Amino acid sequence: MRRWLLLIAVIALIALGWSQRRRLPDRYNPWAPLDLRAPPDLFLGYKLQRLDADAPRCLAALQQSGATFSIVRDYVGAGGCGWNHAVRLQDTGVARLERPTIVTCPLAASLVLFDRHALQPLARQWFGQPVVSISHVGSYACRTIYSQPDAALSRHARAEAIDVTGFRLGNGRAVVIAKDWDKGLDGTFLHKLEARGCPFFGIVLGPEYNAAHHTHFHLEAGSWGWCR
């Protein structure tokens, strides 16, 4: 109920701004371009959805964010595998990826948001250190879900998901999901990070989802978070 009242109030502010020819701040305007550096607002899901539907808009947001990347050509693989509107992402503008990897532009945008607004603040709060490197085991893989013969294609088969395995802090300390998930300070950090990361992705699957995910966070592109 509170969210609906807030939405009505925001719409009223937008209408007032238009009527008086005034420009509302972007955080109160669902149609404003998404600034990946700005704190997330009420319309984050909708703005991510717009990025997914508009490749030039997505690339513009990624360029503005300071992330290091290069555009890669669309690729059509066997059996529906491949990617569209993808980039080779090297860093988020804050932390580098342990290895550059090909991801769709919307997934790259979500990773930038996750790093800036969940990972870095939590790492500084928890350890007093920034995260300088994000470890992963890749994004693109032409396979079905769990590689089962009759299953649907995995989101990895479209470069729309990445499996993150851990993080390295500025002081050299490594936090590894496979060994630290249930261990003291590091484990608490990882549990909190999984929860905070949810709004920036379509799906987040962690070690408690099933045995296949006990070593990593599975992060999918998308606009409305579903976390397990």
Side-chain angles (χ1 to χ4, degrees), residues 54-99:
D54 188 335
R57 182 188 298 272
C58 184
L59 287 172
L62 204 57
Q63 289 168 341
Q64 182 189 41
S65 75
T68 303
F69 67 95
S70 56
I71 298 171
V72 297
R73 293 181 179 178
D74 290 354
Y75 169 68
V76 178
C81 295
W83 58 72
N84 293 303
H85 310 305
V87 299
R88 187 183 301 276
L89 186 65
Q90 298 180 47
D91 65 59
T92 65
V94 182
R96 65 180 178 83
L97 273 65
E98 190 176 54
R99 301 186 313 280

Side-chain angles (χ1 to χ4, degrees), residues 125-127 173 175 180 182-191:
Q125 174 191 345
W126 221 245
F127 302 113
R173 178 176 182 169
V175 180
D180 295 325
D182 287 322
K183 291 183 180 178
L185 187 69
D186 291 2
T188 304
F189 166 76
L190 291 170
H191 279 77

Side-chain angles (χ1 to χ4, degrees), residues 135-151:
S135 303
H136 65 92
V137 288
S139 171
Y140 179 73
C142 184
R143 62 172 176 81
T144 60
I145 297 173
Y146 302 131
S147 299
Q148 296 299 309
D150 297 324

